[in-house]
Amino acid sequence: MLDHLKTNNRAWAARKIAADARFFQRLENQQAPEYLWIGCSDSRVPANEIVGLDPGELFVHRNVANLAPPQDSNYLSVLQFAIDVLRVKHILVVGHYGCGGIAAAVDGKRRGLVDHWLHPIREVAHEQRAALDALGDPKARLDRLCELNVIRQVRNVASDIFVQEAWARGQDLSVHGWVYSLSNGLVNDLAVTTSRLEEIERLG
Ligand code: CO
């Protein structure tokens, strides 16, 4: 079963070894990524590929609509391991335009469990309702909500106790907010990079 995937896998491993005979040996002994990626599960947003990084270079956490919920133990475990053990220097919260999770959060349809998961996005939409309504075009409104969600998640990450403790002990750590475009493959840096406690307040 799934023979085509196994064939792909063998070809990929062979290509890696052809380019660098010790590639896997090195990775086996250590992972030392400088970056933590918090992104959407969407299959069109492959974290490593987008930023041209090899295995071992990017620590990845993905979920529907790239959320960083303060009570989610999965996300928190990843965050703590990335900061305290791997000592990543950058945390990238990466949303994407055309996110189905963002659209589902505000379309008023009931889907079940995921409605609860997406609740934080409805909160952002509610808080920013005037600004969003001012954008006449529904697509522009959803795209802006993708951005606002990323900014909120950057705030969640930056205000987390693991991040605050890292800053308090002088660890070099920045939190960034990006949105990836499915239509051209480029990321849009939302310029909300936060590297110090004092910078959190300017995040919406
Ligand atoms: Co998405």
Side-chain angles (χ1 to χ4, degrees), residues 40-42 44-45 63-66 96 98-102:
C40 185
S41 298
D42 194 303
R44 299 166 294 178
V45 192
N63 58 42
V64 174
N66 43 272
H96 66 101
C99 181
I102 299 287

Side-chain angles (χ1 to χ4, degrees), residues 9-197:
N9 167 248
R10 280 190 289 272
W12 172 77
R15 276 198 308 276
K16 284 290 177 195
I17 290 170
D20 175 359
R22 290 181 40 80
F23 182 76
F24 291 108
Q25 271 167 287
R26 238 185 7 256
L27 280 182
E28 193 181 15
N29 293 330
Q30 195 192 359
Q31 71 159 340
E34 279 187 28
Y35 316 93
L36 165 62
W37 174 286
I38 299 173
C40 185
S41 298
D42 194 303
S43 65
R44 299 166 294 178
V45 192
N48 283 66
E49 272 187 59
I50 287 171
V51 286
L53 291 179
D54 261 332
E57 296 183 323
L58 189 65
F59 198 57
V60 175
H61 179 73
R62 291 169 69 179
N63 58 42
V64 174
N66 43 272
L67 297 180
Q71 281 85 30
D72 179 42
S73 59
N74 182 0
Y75 148 68
L76 289 173
S77 302
V78 168
L79 184 68
Q80 183 177 28
F81 189 78
I83 294 170
D84 293 353
V85 180
L86 298 174
R87 299 181 82 82
V88 298
K89 291 190 167 56
H90 302 275
I91 299 173
L92 300 94
V93 177
V94 187
H96 66 101
Y97 297 116
C99 181
I102 299 287
V106 292
D107 70 3
K109 293 183 193 149
R110 288 299 308 268
R111 291 178 176 79
L113 181 60
V114 76
D115 295 325
H116 296 275
W117 175 253
L118 298 173
H119 182 76
I121 298 164
R122 277 195 296 282
E123 284 187 319
V124 172
H126 186 69
E127 288 168 23
Q128 304 279 343
R129 195 165 167 183
L132 289 167
D133 283 350
L135 301 167
D137 176 36
K139 187 181 174 302
R141 217 176 287 154
L142 282 178
D143 283 350
R144 182 57 185 154
L145 187 53
C146 290
E147 296 178 349
L148 292 171
N149 178 50
V150 165
I151 295 168
R152 176 57 54 89
Q153 305 316 313
V154 167
R155 186 187 169 95
N156 281 357
V157 174
S159 58
D160 192 275
I161 194 73
F162 297 135
V163 174
Q164 307 247 322
E165 284 174 349
W167 285 337
R169 63 180 176 251
Q171 198 169 322
D172 180 15
L173 179 67
S174 300
V175 188
H176 311 260
W178 291 1
V179 184
Y180 173 76
S181 169
L182 296 173
S183 59
N184 65 12
L186 300 175
V187 295
N188 177 22
D189 185 343
L190 298 178
V192 292
T193 297
T194 307
S195 313
R196 289 181 305 129
L197 199 56

